Amino acid sequence: SSGINAELPLRPGGNNGLLGISKPEEYGGLGLDYSYEIVAAEAFATVNSGGVGMAIGVQCDMATPALAKFGGHHVKENFLRPTIAGDYVACLGVSEVGSGSDVASIRSRAVVEGNEWVINGGKMWTTNGAQADWMCMLVNTNDNSNPHKSKSLICVPMKSKGVSVHRTIDKMGMHSSDTAEITMENVRVPLDNIIGEEGKGFQYQMNQFQNERIYAAAGAIPVMDRCIQETIEYCAQRQAFGKSILDNQYVHFRLAELQTEVECLRALLYQCLDHYLLGEDVTPQATMLKLKSARLVREVTDSCLQFWGGKVSFLTFVPFFHCYLHSVSLRLSLSLSL
């Protein structure tokens, strides 16, 4: 449940420029367009450990997009630069107990006292949370009756007095990625730790979610590619009734059909990316990616599972087992879609 040491992938990633591919050069990034980051996401997803890509994804596309786009010099210098370098591990604090998809209903709160924010509340399902150096935290900062205008994003150092890891959470899969529940009691951080304007945190976070959805879809496609390819290889060598499993016409047809669906999803990903690079609002396309990725990763893995047979598919040392476990996390993190 504690996961791998997040520094293992992040420090080499920072040393090789992989944690700031599309981030500004003046803060240590490469300054390339977002397409290069998606190529990297596809490569990370070929690692046979979902937690590696997850840790990097939080660092690059969940906790830092709003910071890079809307943050002032103070927060970029103190949080973005060391995160890009791999010196800091970042986490994103949005979900809470009782507030998951309904982001507007979060209860964590920050009030101004002198030149500081005083934060109380907690965050749930926090990837990298047990190891993070700082959190990009969504909190209520005013009493506006419109919940979309009452929130701000604040950079919270995790070693601040009052921050505690309430527990690490054991999971069905993604064992190499730590997930934690974080509590904050009278945590004080400088007012300058706010990202952008006060009261615009909800909008910033919705914008940040688009990066997360695109990155997650890019990471899901290689998992499905590997799942189908490993199933083809297994079915080609597995004999039953005098011929390979793959020589049954239905098996051929079904695997070809699944790969066709994956290629359609890949085309949608690249179309969404093209619009993103043009500076267009990609909310519709990113939402479609989220929906289709979640449904398809479930369909691909469930269908391929049948071709491995009742006993072999149940073995933990079979390569397909890791694809299946990875897919469970992907389908849940992308969307609870039926």
Side-chain angles (χ1 to χ4, degrees), residues 72-229:
H73 174 71
H74 171 80
V75 284
K76 285 181 179 177
E77 188 64 37
N78 287 281
F79 296 98
L80 183 61
R81 183 184 294 279
T83 301
I84 289 172
D87 296 329
Y88 278 7
V89 176
C91 67
L92 176 64
V94 175
S95 295
E96 300 179 359
V97 176
S99 298
S101 299
D102 185 9
V103 174
S105 70
I106 65 165
R107 296 182 178 181
S108 292
R109 189 167 189 81
V111 298
V112 176
E113 287 190 9
N115 60 353
E116 294 178 315
W117 294 105
V118 180
I119 304 171
N120 284 279
K123 294 297 176 181
M124 191 66 168
W125 320 120
T126 310
T127 302
N128 294 352
Q131 305 178 64
D133 294 288
W134 71 280
M135 174 187 286
C136 176
M137 185 177 187
L138 186 68
V139 291
N140 292 291
T141 53
N142 65 57
D143 295 320
N144 195 309
S145 59
N146 183 343
H148 300 158
K149 296 182 179 180
S150 63
K151 297 166 178 59
S152 301
L153 286 175
I154 297 176
C155 299
V156 181
M158 294 294 281
K159 292 182 180 179
S160 302
K161 182 180 179 181
V163 177
S164 61
V165 178
H166 182 67
R167 58 171 169 152
T168 54
I169 300 169
D170 201 8
K171 309 182 295 295
M172 182 186 300
M174 286 287 190
H175 297 144
S176 57
S177 173
D178 86 76
T179 307
E181 180 180 0
I182 310 295
T183 60
M184 299 201 181
E185 185 176 355
N186 295 323
V187 177
R188 292 178 175 270
V189 302
L191 291 179
D192 287 343
N193 280 22
I194 192 170
I195 295 174
E197 297 181 41
E198 190 277 329
K200 289 194 174 181
F202 184 88
Q203 292 93 318
Y204 294 160
Q205 185 54 48
M206 292 302 104
N207 186 285
Q208 198 161 238
F209 275 148
Q210 306 316 319
N211 292 74
E212 180 178 337
R213 290 168 176 174
I214 297 170
Y215 183 96
I221 290 172
V223 174
M224 290 185 274
D225 284 335
R226 189 165 73 249
C227 178
I228 294 170
Q229 186 57 42

Side-chain angles (χ1 to χ4, degrees), residues 180-327:
E181 180 180 0
I182 310 295
T183 60
M184 299 201 181
E185 185 176 355
N186 295 323
V187 177
R188 292 178 175 270
V189 302
L191 291 179
D192 287 343
N193 280 22
I194 192 170
I195 295 174
E197 297 181 41
E198 190 277 329
K200 289 194 174 181
F202 184 88
Q203 292 93 318
Y204 294 160
Q205 185 54 48
M206 292 302 104
N207 186 285
Q208 198 161 238
F209 275 148
Q210 306 316 319
N211 292 74
E212 180 178 337
R213 290 168 176 174
I214 297 170
Y215 183 96
I221 290 172
V223 174
M224 290 185 274
D225 284 335
R226 189 165 73 249
C227 178
I228 294 170
Q229 186 57 42
E230 288 178 353
T231 302
I232 290 172
E233 292 172 4
Y234 174 76
C235 289
Q237 59 88 22
R238 175 75 170 91
Q239 298 286 317
F241 304 106
K243 61 181 179 180
S244 75
I245 300 297
L246 192 60
D247 284 331
N248 290 280
Q249 187 178 28
Y250 173 76
V251 178
H252 254 105
F253 167 80
R254 183 58 178 149
L255 291 172
E257 182 181 41
L258 292 172
Q259 190 65 59
T260 300
E261 290 292 319
V262 173
E263 295 306 321
C264 290
L265 179 61
R266 199 187 326 265
L268 177 60
L269 167 65
Y270 294 157
Q271 181 193 63
C272 179
L273 184 58
D274 285 343
H275 288 287
Y276 184 92
L277 295 176
L278 292 172
E280 298 176 8
D281 177 14
V282 296
T283 300
Q285 294 95 330
T287 306
M288 292 175 200
L289 278 173
K290 175 184 175 183
L291 173 66
K292 185 61 177 178
S293 296
R295 287 181 173 176
L296 188 58
V297 75
R298 179 176 63 217
E299 181 182 2
V300 168
T301 51
D302 285 352
S303 295
C304 288
L305 180 71
Q306 307 308 313
F307 298 136
W308 284 78
K311 293 182 179 179
V312 175
S313 61
F314 208 58
L315 302 176
T316 60
F317 61 81
V318 174
F320 176 80
F321 172 81
H322 297 284
C323 287
Y324 192 87
L325 275 187
H326 192 171
S327 78

